Amino acid sequence: MLAAALCTSASVFAAAVVGQPAPAFSAVDTAGKSVSLADFKGKTVVLEWVNPGCPYVRKHYDSANMPATQKSAIAKGAVWLAINSTHTGASDYLAPAALAGWMRDKGASPTATLMDADGKVGRAYGARTTPHMYVIDPRGTLVYVGAIDSKPTANPADIKTATNHVNAALAEVLAGKPVSQPVTQAYGCSVKYGD
């Protein structure tokens, strides 16, 4: 019975594979508008799993690192979708208006902030941590999965000596090159999925 349960939970996180088409999805943003990955066909897309209750997320937002990475990506023509898969019963769940307000207060500028309280999008991608980062190339292929950077700590002082993996992956994708480090170990708080 336990083995079956383990297999089931493991298979839930096996959908998104680097080098394969990114799983299609639709979700509602914090303003109530439906957003689909298909809306951005032909564009480079960054997916960021976010939960403001996580100290690792706060490291990158309080320092302005994540907003700066978002702005840089968007300035280069990429689309940035922040996704919150925290279920409504979790103590750190924020309702759409509160999440939008937090993002605004932090100077964030994603293309959209998506609500995924049922966890469908997060499970399709195997998102395990906040932050957990994904880059999809203009052909719709998943080309990067992992951490925002190379310093798996909650200390903002570490950002200045870290390699920003998302910036590096985007630079290669936008130059038409393969991503040289397509997978890194994501770090942060566990995504608070519902049952």
Side-chain angles (χ1 to χ4, degrees):
M1 185 70 149
L2 179 60
L6 290 173
C7 288
T8 302
S9 65
S11 67
V12 165
F13 288 101
V17 177
V18 167
Q20 297 297 314
F25 66 83
S26 290
V28 175
D29 71 9
T30 52
K33 178 184 170 205
S34 181
V35 176
S36 296
L37 182 60
D39 297 341
F40 307 108
K41 187 175 178 166
K43 299 219 173 227
T44 300
V45 178
V46 179
L47 306 180
E48 169 209 349
W49 262 262
V50 64
N51 176 0
C54 173
Y56 294 90
V57 169
R58 289 195 303 268
K59 163 190 174 179
H60 290 289
Y61 276 91
D62 291 348
S63 65
N65 183 53
M66 193 69 78
T69 305
Q70 292 167 348
K71 288 177 179 121
S72 172
I74 290 168
K76 293 173 183 158
V79 169
W80 191 291
L81 302 176
I83 303 170
N84 189 327
S85 295
T86 306
H87 74 95
T88 55
S91 61
D92 51 1
Y93 171 80
L94 290 181
L99 179 57
W102 184 85
M103 296 287 274
R104 202 169 33 253
D105 291 347
K106 296 298 177 185
S109 59
T111 307
T113 300
L114 307 180
M115 303 302 294
D116 180 45
D118 63 7
K120 284 182 182 170
V121 180
R123 287 185 172 104
Y125 277 81
R128 296 173 189 247
T129 63
T130 53
H132 203 153
M133 309 299 299
Y134 298 76
V135 178
I136 301 163
D137 75 9
R139 295 184 316 272
T141 302
L142 188 62
V143 293
Y144 175 77
V145 175
I148 176 69
D149 69 15
S150 61
K151 300 275 182 147
T153 74
N155 184 354
D158 289 335
I159 292 170
K160 62 180 168 280
T161 57
T163 299
N164 186 313
H165 294 309
V166 174
N167 282 343
L170 281 172
E172 290 173 326
V173 169
L174 295 171
K177 297 177 181 174
V179 175
S180 54
Q181 191 171 11
V183 179
T184 63
Q185 182 64 50
Y187 69 88
C189 305
S190 62
V191 175
K192 307 300 188 292
Y193 289 111
D195 292 333

